[in-house]
Amino acid sequence: MEWNDRGVVLTTRKHGENDIILEALTTDHGRHLGLVRGGRSQRHRPVLQPGNELNLTWKARLTDHLGSFQVEGNTLRAANLMTTGVGLAGLQHLAFLLKLLPERHPYPRLYDALNVVLDHLDAPDAAAALLIRFELELLRDLGTGLDLSTCAATGQSDDLVYVSPKSARAVSRDAGKPYHDRLLPLPSFLVEGQRQAGSELTWLDVTQGFTLTGFFVTRHVEENNRTAAGTREQLLSALERRYREDFPWNFG
């Protein structure tokens, strides 16, 4: 069995003295693991860093075997990502999120979204918005996507400011007002047409966005008897520090 594909490094772990097991999200073969012989060598080590995009060749005797990877660097962005708190925390959080996907099932839209996020982790405002949207895309692929197009109660598409934790659908201001303490806030940047062009993403927008997606990600984790990681808290702390440095006038 053999195939060629592109893949983004998610994690690596030591296997024996010189080899590693590589976990990557690939374009056509989904989240996939394989052995890299000599992966701990000086030649391979800079390439096999989380966030790098590689050209991969996977070989195995049978389809259900672990198999082995031959790797070649494509987009080597890890060195830049690891110089910032947001980059490091973002890599760890993305790797945790992608472990929620079943292995070996293709998610081409999510693969493209992952590369876009990784290319913008050095810009805190863009990174925050893209990470939140990435979580929404992930939830959709997990079968628990949110419907933010119209109000669950009235069907209207304007003035959507809440999300129902039960139905995962948007709720308008008037319809949700009597139940606002039981609804999740919906930041306007996630609703098409409700954000004014050129307006900056505030820290309130960021926290509301991560609170929204975090609720449904955590519910999915618990429903599938998985263990939640603390990567979200680390990411939010790193983003908050950068926001305070870069956008002090727009904080809160």
Side-chain angles (χ1 to χ4, degrees):
M1 306 300 299
E2 179 176 344
W3 50 254
N4 299 302
D5 204 349
R6 289 179 298 134
V8 174
V9 178
L10 300 179
T11 64
T12 60
R13 67 176 185 267
K14 182 179 176 181
H15 183 80
E17 290 298 319
N18 300 309
D19 304 335
I20 68 162
I21 293 177
L22 167 66
E23 177 189 26
L25 183 70
T26 67
T27 306
D28 300 322
H29 300 86
R31 186 169 66 87
H32 211 290
L33 281 74
L35 181 71
V36 180
R37 301 190 185 280
R40 302 187 72 228
S41 68
Q42 290 185 349
R43 180 172 70 91
H44 277 128
R45 198 173 298 171
V47 174
L48 297 173
Q49 297 295 321
N52 283 343
E53 185 181 44
L54 312 179
N55 296 321
L56 300 170
T57 299
W58 180 81
K59 297 179 180 181
R61 192 168 64 87
L62 296 174
T63 304
D64 58 352
H65 285 183
L66 173 65
S68 62
F69 278 130
Q70 293 178 352
V71 301
E72 178 186 355
N74 186 338
T75 304
L76 304 183
R77 54 169 77 94
N80 290 332
L81 291 174
M82 291 183 180
T83 61
T84 67
V86 173
L88 278 171
L91 284 170
Q92 293 172 349
H93 186 57
L94 288 165
F96 162 72
L97 291 173
L98 291 166
K99 283 183 181 294
L100 301 176
L101 297 172
E103 290 186 42
R104 303 189 177 194
H105 186 88
Y107 296 95
R109 284 168 53 95
L110 207 56
Y111 181 85
D112 291 339
L114 174 63
N115 277 290
V116 172
V117 174
L118 292 173
D119 285 338
H120 291 84
L121 278 181
D122 58 341
D125 53 341
L130 289 170
L131 282 160
I132 293 165
R133 292 185 182 278
F134 183 87
E135 292 194 343
L136 289 174
E137 183 71 18
L138 177 79
L139 288 165
R140 185 187 70 82
D141 283 340
L142 290 172
T144 56
L146 282 65
D147 182 356
L148 306 179
S149 59
T150 58
C151 174
T154 66
Q156 70 183 72
S157 58
D158 58 330
D159 204 24
L160 304 176
V161 297
Y162 303 110
V163 174
S164 167
K166 292 184 178 180
S167 68
R169 293 190 59 189
V171 180
S172 67
R173 189 184 308 274
D174 289 342
K177 190 174 181 179
Y179 320 101
H180 70 278
D181 57 337
R182 286 177 275 172
L183 300 173
L184 297 164
L186 173 60
S188 60
F189 78 94
L190 292 178
V191 184
E192 186 176 355
Q194 287 197 181
R195 188 86 179 178
Q196 293 184 356
S199 59
E200 294 177 334
L201 201 69
T202 68
W203 183 243
L204 179 61
D205 292 325
V206 173
T207 55
Q208 287 184 344
F210 276 111
T211 297
L212 174 63
T213 56
F215 175 86
F216 292 100
V217 169
T218 300
R219 186 164 73 180
H220 177 86
V221 168
E222 292 174 348
E223 288 177 349
N224 289 274
N225 297 316
R226 304 287 291 272
T227 301
T231 56
R232 180 180 298 275
E233 289 73 19
Q234 297 173 21
L235 176 59
L236 280 170
S237 295
L239 283 169
E240 182 177 358
R241 287 193 295 271
R242 282 295 304 274
Y243 253 77
R244 288 189 180 276
E245 294 172 3
D246 295 354
F247 311 110
W249 63 88
N250 204 9
F251 203 87

